[in-house]
Amino acid sequence: MKLKFKFFLAFTLIIISATLLYTKKINVAYATDLVITLATDKEEYGTGEKVTLKGNLTLEGYGFRVGLVAVEIESPISHLIFRTMKTGPLENQQWEVEITNLYPCDQYGNPKYSFKPGTFAYVKVEFENNSNSSKPIAVAVYIQYSNSVPFVAKIDKTTIPPNTSGSILSSIPIPSTAPLGTTWIFASIYTDQPKYGGFPYCPEKNATFQISTTSSSIQTSQIGTYETQTEPPSSFKFTFVLPKGTSCPFGTYTIYASAKWQNYTATASKTFKVIIIGDVDNDGDVDMDDIGIACLAFGTKPGHPRWDPRADITKDGIVDMDDIGLICLHFGEHL
């Protein structure tokens, strides 16, 4: 009798354990969560370097092919980028609020496609509320120079009544040192800033204008041609270039991302740092002292009497012209 009871007890414990393990596996595999993942190609960058941001959107552990992800990047002192990224084709979709038009213009809203450095450009975003209720909206405009360096990122918040159209006109001062060429505009509409969990109402729109020293004959703007979906379904990627020199704030940059599908919402954040490259003596600036230290260690490897690991900027185990070149490239930068 005791033997049968022990066998029954052991068998019951095995069944309970197996059930718990199976339930745990089911919960992990089929958790009803919308999840965003973010990754950058490096954790630290110097000024003037290219940054690659990749992201992924999953639902219940599987790639979500038809999603929109709001992305906001903030530098230590200001907005840097606003984008709305697609994780797959979005065809025949109905949007509660949508951008109906985007174009560069003069101060009166008349289309204009060429501006000189040292003057003002203007951008008009037209939008529409297709629903039967008022909607809070955050209209974000991000502008990127021809060299892929962020130029302007600004956001305006308002409320749009039901079944109503509206527009926002933004003035953009163009620095006298602005690079010439095709400049890209991106417009997004969110429920709020991604930083605060706001998600996209609709896909972004893009357009262009020229920064030129002469009056341009160009009378059209490229629309919707900036990027194609090259990432696997459920993923997105975009790149930008950090400003050079002291115009690029040093410190921690934060990426915020958010998305919504039906009753599911997701948010994520990630940071990267912009550091002074070439500050060998770690005194907060790149100067002749740093070049002197690198020159003293030039041609050395670990174990050599003159080896100084601080001078190995590229971290390849030797102090050579690559290291000297990087110090010279960032010469004059300081905190």
Side-chain angles (χ1 to χ4, degrees):
M1 187 69 179
K2 288 183 179 180
L3 184 60
K4 288 184 178 180
F5 176 78
K6 288 180 179 180
F7 176 81
F8 175 79
L9 181 60
F11 180 77
T12 302
L13 290 173
I14 290 171
I15 293 298
I16 292 172
S17 299
T19 302
L20 289 174
L21 286 171
Y22 179 77
T23 303
K24 185 177 181 181
K25 288 181 180 180
I26 290 295
N27 288 338
V28 170
Y30 299 99
T32 53
D33 290 325
L34 189 65
V35 177
I36 301 170
T37 58
L38 296 170
T40 50
D41 54 327
K42 296 199 299 184
E43 297 297 321
E44 293 182 338
Y45 299 88
T47 65
E49 286 197 274
K50 183 173 75 172
V51 180
T52 299
L53 171 65
K54 292 184 177 183
N56 186 265
L57 185 66
T58 58
L59 178 66
E60 297 184 350
Y62 297 97
F64 194 59
R65 296 170 178 264
V66 289
L68 290 173
V69 180
V71 178
E72 174 182 357
I73 303 179
E74 287 197 344
S75 79
I77 62 173
S78 64
H79 305 308
L80 186 70
I81 291 174
F82 289 107
R83 294 291 307 271
T84 299
M85 307 306 299
K86 296 188 297 183
T87 61
L90 297 167
E91 299 176 356
N92 302 319
Q93 297 284 333
Q94 299 295 319
W95 311 107
E96 284 187 318
V97 179
E98 64 179 325
I99 301 171
T100 55
N101 203 2
L102 167 69
Y103 58 93
C105 58
D106 62 19
Q107 64 267 40
Y108 305 109
N110 302 309
K112 183 179 178 180
Y113 304 103
S114 180
F115 303 90
K116 294 181 179 180
T119 65
F120 277 82
Y122 294 83
V123 172
K124 191 167 187 179
V125 184
E126 298 177 349
F127 45 84
E128 188 170 54
N129 181 359
N130 299 314
S131 72
N132 294 319
S133 61
S134 295
K135 297 293 181 183
I137 62 171
V139 183
V141 172
Y142 164 60
I143 302 180
Q144 184 172 286
Y145 284 128
S146 58
N147 57 6
S148 298
V149 171
F151 173 19
V152 169
K154 57 193 307 184
I155 192 162
D156 293 287
K157 299 180 182 181
T158 186
T159 298
I160 181 171
N163 300 303
T164 301
S165 299
S167 65
I168 286 179
L169 183 68
S170 296
S171 62
I172 312 296
I174 302 177
S176 59
T177 56
L180 306 181
T182 302
T183 304
W184 284 89
I185 314 165
F186 301 88
S188 299
I189 292 189
Y190 310 129
T191 57
D192 199 350
Q193 274 181 249
K195 178 179 180 179
Y196 303 125
F199 50 84
Y201 277 115
C202 62
E204 69 179 19
K205 282 190 180 293
N206 60 61
T208 65
F209 63 85
Q210 300 293 316
I211 298 180
S212 174
T213 56
T214 59
S215 297
S216 174
S217 60
I218 296 175
Q219 295 298 318
T220 59
S221 176
Q222 299 179 61
I223 298 177
T225 57
Y226 182 77
E227 290 181 354
T228 56
Q229 183 74 24
T230 57
E231 290 300 290
S234 82
S235 301
F236 63 88
K237 178 178 75 172
F238 70 89
T239 63
F240 61 94
V241 176
L242 292 165
K244 292 183 179 180
T246 54
S247 60
C248 182
F250 298 105
T252 300
Y253 288 59
T254 305
I255 307 166
Y256 300 96
S258 57
K260 181 179 180 180
W261 182 74
Q262 294 185 357
N263 294 323
Y264 302 110
T265 59
T267 59
S269 64
K270 178 177 173 48
T271 61
F272 63 87
K273 290 185 177 181
V274 176
I275 62 173
I276 299 179
I277 292 179
D279 182 17
V280 178
D281 58 7
N282 199 31
D283 65 350
D285 62 6
V286 183
D287 54 17
M288 289 305 299
D289 292 338
D290 302 297
I291 291 179
I293 293 171
C295 288
L296 185 63
F298 187 80
T300 65
K301 296 181 178 181
H304 192 283
R306 288 188 288 107
W307 168 253
D308 189 336
R310 298 176 301 169
D312 182 17
I313 308 298
T314 59
K315 305 302 180 187
D316 61 353
I318 186 172
V319 180
D320 54 17
M321 286 307 299
D322 290 339
D323 303 296
I324 300 290
L326 280 172
I327 297 172
C328 292
L329 181 65
H330 295 278
F331 190 85
E333 292 183 8
H334 57 84
L335 291 175

